[in-house]
Amino acid sequence: MDEIQWRFVDAGLDQLPPQVDDDEIVTVGGPIWDVVKVEAIGPLTLAVEFEDGLKGCVRFEPSFLRGHFAKLADPDYFVQVTAPHGAVSWPNEQPDMAPDTMYDGIKAHGMWVLR
């Protein structure tokens, strides 16, 4: 049997160094965190679906809406939510939200509440 040789590559797949062939790349574990669908379903509440099929809600408490997130208090702005690159975002990416923590919260509780 051939011996497996492991190599760490600190780059995206489109930025692999030339000495690493595609057939040598091994992906191990971890969920797919890309958001494929997002919709505002109520005041300060989103329904999200991830690439692996996980679905749940994100709820913003009014106390969370300060600084970078203050714009979300405007209902007309809040409903403009999208997920163009796998992350929940609003126009001009203001703000955008990392999907990994969102995924973990929804997987554990069905809802991720931001306080």
Side-chain angles (χ1 to χ4, degrees):
M1 180 161 41
D2 293 335
E3 181 180 349
I4 296 175
Q5 295 182 0
W6 295 91
R7 281 193 251 174
F8 180 77
V9 178
D10 189 18
L13 290 178
D14 59 334
Q15 300 173 7
L16 291 175
Q19 72 272 12
V20 177
D21 295 326
D22 285 343
D23 61 348
E24 295 180 52
I25 299 170
V26 177
T27 303
V28 179
I32 304 298
W33 292 317
D34 283 351
V35 175
V36 295
K37 185 176 180 184
V38 62
E39 179 182 4
I41 59 170
L44 303 178
T45 306
L46 304 173
V48 297
E49 180 177 347
F50 293 87
E51 187 173 358
D52 69 351
L54 179 70
K55 296 178 183 179
C57 292
V58 177
R59 191 177 79 222
F60 296 84
E61 294 288 329
S63 60
F64 187 80
L65 303 179
R66 55 185 187 270
H68 191 60
F69 292 92
K71 293 180 182 183
L72 301 183
D74 176 356
D76 293 329
Y77 188 76
F78 188 79
V79 299
Q80 295 179 50
V81 66
T82 61
H85 305 288
V88 172
S89 182
W90 281 266
N92 299 318
E93 297 181 2
Q94 296 291 324
D96 65 347
M97 303 181 71
D100 53 345
T101 305
M102 182 186 306
Y103 183 97
D104 291 342
I106 290 173
K107 187 168 184 173
H109 307 287
M111 178 176 278
W112 187 41
V113 180
L114 298 160
R115 295 183 170 98

